[in-house]
Amino acid sequence: MTLTIRLLFALAVSPLAVAAPQLRPPSAAPATGARVSAPVDPGSELTVTLLTMGVGEQVWEQFGHNAIWLHVARPSSAGGSFDAVYHWGLFDSSQPYFIPRFLKGRMLYSMGGFALDGTLEEYRARDRSVVAQELDLTNRQKIALRDFIRWNDTPQHREYYYDYYRDNCSTRVRDALDRALGGIIKATFASRMTSQTYRSHTLRLTQVGPWLATGIDIGLGRRGDRKLSAWDEMFLPAKLHDYIRELRVADGNGGTRPLVRSERQLLPSVTHAEPTEPPSWTPIFLTIGLVVGALFAFAGVRAGRGSAPARYAAAVLYSLWSFAAGFLGLLLFLLWAVTNHVFAHQNENLLLLHPLWLVLAVLGPMTAVRGRLARTTRWMTLGIAALAVVALLLHVVGLSRQANLEIIALTLPPILAIAWAMHRGTARSRVASVR
């Protein structure tokens, strides 16, 4: 799950993301080189355990992982013991049309079962924790889960279209358990609302990499700010672990019992701890925005005094900003217009970053250096500034449905500074030409 979250959001903000599918998270590689088939033992001889893997150092490890461990410890009627860890985080970068599907947001993932020992070795090598929760299922529920996994692990059923929030490797584990339990997980947690959103959880877990987290923040649209139910939160392995721990099920005698029979830590982590709160970056972003805006305004004042070096310096600064803002805006537009990355749709950051900046990247230097197309440039910068102000006003009047105040704080001061400098410069040019 974690690799694709990193890739899909990095795609929205980085031209280098196309090369990233060559990477594979440790959990996506078979530990022994061969798949393991699910057992056919009676339920009484089978233990079912939810494995939750903690966060790691690499970007694709920052969301954790999980799996279902099926275990038969002693020889049975089927013969021999059985030990396999099943997870839904596999993909094959050599599959036909992999890159087009990735860009379109139609990534094919699959599931498989692998040996426990090799899986633990991979996580031990990366200093990632592994927690095991043995589930107190009835024999019938164990058999139902085992049979579903056997069905799911057939060639015609292994693959699925991956959605990094709504249909990922953690939600697949959740749904498999819920199916075996007769829907009690969803019935218990779907109506329990939380204060968290997809954005807040994503920024919380990626904040150790500020550049990536900022790119994700820019790329997420309105859907990323919907309040989540506890059921929705289980797209995160750690949340599924927590909610399963508190779940109680019928004991058959009119009472209830905990679903988790026992919990133990198979592997500790010495260096990696999951962040507990999302970052609060608005003051920092506002400071950066004000500094950049002041720099742009100063460059505009110097350019307005008529010296050629000052005009060239202003032209370079404005062009760099305009190109970066325009390129990001083009990516945001394409993500909304032509892809299935639905959480990048309806993005209010398009009021701040949009393809019009690419036009200004050409017009700005021509106006700053040679005074050409001054009227067109002036009106374009004023229009761009007006759109940015609208982004802020949507919050003021309560019409915004997106938590992007930190992005507004970062971009609005430079935008207003460029508009002011361009308007001031072209106005001076008009006065000079009249004289």
Side-chain angles (χ1 to χ4, degrees):
M1 131 182 203
T2 57
L3 173 64
T4 299
I5 289 181
R6 184 258 187 188
L7 294 177
L8 293 177
F9 281 123
L11 175 65
V13 296
S14 171
L16 301 178
V18 175
Q22 300 303 316
L23 300 171
R24 287 170 67 92
S27 59
T32 62
R35 289 179 181 270
V36 181
S37 298
V40 293
D41 305 82
S44 60
E45 300 175 357
L46 177 66
T47 61
V48 177
T49 303
L50 174 63
L51 296 181
T52 303
M53 294 76 165
V55 300
E57 180 179 357
Q58 301 300 320
V59 170
W60 56 86
E61 298 174 340
Q62 290 172 7
F63 288 78
H65 194 50
N66 55 11
I68 296 174
W69 174 24
L70 300 183
H71 177 64
V72 178
R74 58 185 179 179
S76 64
S77 57
S81 60
F82 177 84
D83 207 14
V85 175
Y86 289 88
H87 70 94
W88 282 255
L90 299 170
F91 73 91
D92 181 5
S93 61
S94 66
Q95 64 186 239
Y97 310 110
F98 176 83
I99 295 299
R101 282 174 172 165
F102 168 73
L103 296 174
K104 180 69 174 174
R106 296 283 287 173
M107 280 277 288
L108 275 176
Y109 262 51
S110 65
M111 60 86 66
F114 306 100
L116 175 68
D117 289 345
T119 300
L120 293 180
E121 281 302 315
E122 292 176 0
Y123 285 94
R124 181 180 290 110
R126 289 162 177 80
D127 189 33
R128 295 179 64 186
S129 64
V130 178
V131 174
Q133 294 171 302
E134 183 182 341
L135 305 182
D136 191 6
L137 304 178
T138 66
N139 290 342
R140 177 174 296 182
Q141 290 167 342
K142 293 177 188 178
I143 293 171
L145 179 61
R146 178 205 66 191
D147 290 346
F148 172 75
I149 289 177
R150 291 176 62 192
W151 170 86
N152 203 177
D153 198 26
T154 55
Q156 63 269 36
H157 297 127
R158 286 185 188 130
E159 293 184 329
Y160 67 100
Y161 285 110
Y162 186 95
D163 184 296
Y164 37 87
Y165 288 137
R166 300 175 301 179
D167 194 359
N168 63 28
C169 48
S170 185
T171 65
R172 287 270 162 165
V173 171
R174 175 200 67 188
D175 293 347
L177 295 176
D178 190 51
R179 180 189 182 99
L181 288 163
I184 191 173
I185 301 176
K186 187 171 186 178
T188 302
F189 295 109
S191 60
R192 182 192 296 186
M193 300 307 296
T194 75
S195 61
Q196 301 302 312
T197 66
Y198 289 122
R199 186 189 304 274
S200 65
H201 276 310
T202 304
L203 295 182
R204 171 175 65 86
L205 293 168
T206 60
Q207 63 184 288
V208 294
W211 286 104
L212 174 66
T214 301
I216 292 173
D217 205 7
I218 293 172
L220 273 175
R222 288 181 169 183
R223 295 190 187 193
D225 293 301
R226 179 177 63 85
K227 289 291 189 290
L228 302 180
S229 68
W231 170 262
D232 297 326
E233 277 196 312
M234 296 181 204
F235 84 95
L236 293 172
K239 289 297 181 180
L240 178 59
H241 164 276
D242 294 345
Y243 288 125
I244 287 294
R245 174 192 281 169
E246 70 175 76
L247 184 62
R248 300 185 67 86
V249 296
D251 62 5
N253 297 313
T256 62
R257 68 178 189 277
L259 175 61
V260 176
R261 173 176 289 164
S262 65
E263 180 171 327
R264 59 195 172 107
Q265 188 169 59
L266 302 183
L267 289 177
S269 176
V270 177
T271 57
H272 305 304
E274 183 173 308
T276 58
E277 297 293 335
S280 179
W281 285 341
T282 300
I284 297 174
F285 282 9
L286 179 59
T287 301
I288 295 172
L290 290 172
V291 170
V292 174
L295 176 63
F296 287 175
F298 177 75
V301 170
R302 293 294 302 272
R305 293 175 180 173
S307 74
R311 291 200 304 272
Y312 280 110
V316 169
L317 284 175
Y318 299 162
S319 291
L320 288 174
W321 172 275
S322 298
F323 179 79
F327 181 75
L328 288 174
L330 181 61
L331 286 177
L332 294 180
F333 173 76
L334 292 175
L335 283 168
W336 185 355
V338 300
T339 78
N340 293 325
H341 298 296
V342 295
F343 286 91
H345 296 180
Q346 297 177 316
N347 195 330
E348 293 180 20
N349 289 325
L350 276 165
L351 293 170
L352 306 162
L353 307 167
H354 41 74
L356 284 178
W357 281 108
L358 294 176
V359 179
L360 193 62
V362 177
L363 292 181
M366 294 174 62
T367 301
V369 175
R370 299 190 176 183
R372 297 179 180 177
L373 299 171
R375 181 182 179 87
T376 302
T377 302
R378 181 175 69 255
W379 284 108
M380 177 166 286
T381 54
L382 290 176
I384 288 174
L387 288 175
V389 171
V390 168
L392 178 61
L393 289 177
L394 288 176
H395 286 272
V396 173
V397 301
L399 294 178
S400 175
R401 297 296 179 267
Q402 184 168 328
N404 67 334
L405 278 174
E406 65 279 4
I407 305 304
I408 294 174
L410 179 65
T411 57
L412 184 58
I415 291 172
L416 294 179
I418 289 176
W420 173 80
M422 286 291 186
H423 182 76
R424 181 176 182 273
T426 54
R428 283 178 174 268
S429 297
R430 290 201 315 275
V431 172
S433 63
V434 171
R435 291 178 180 175

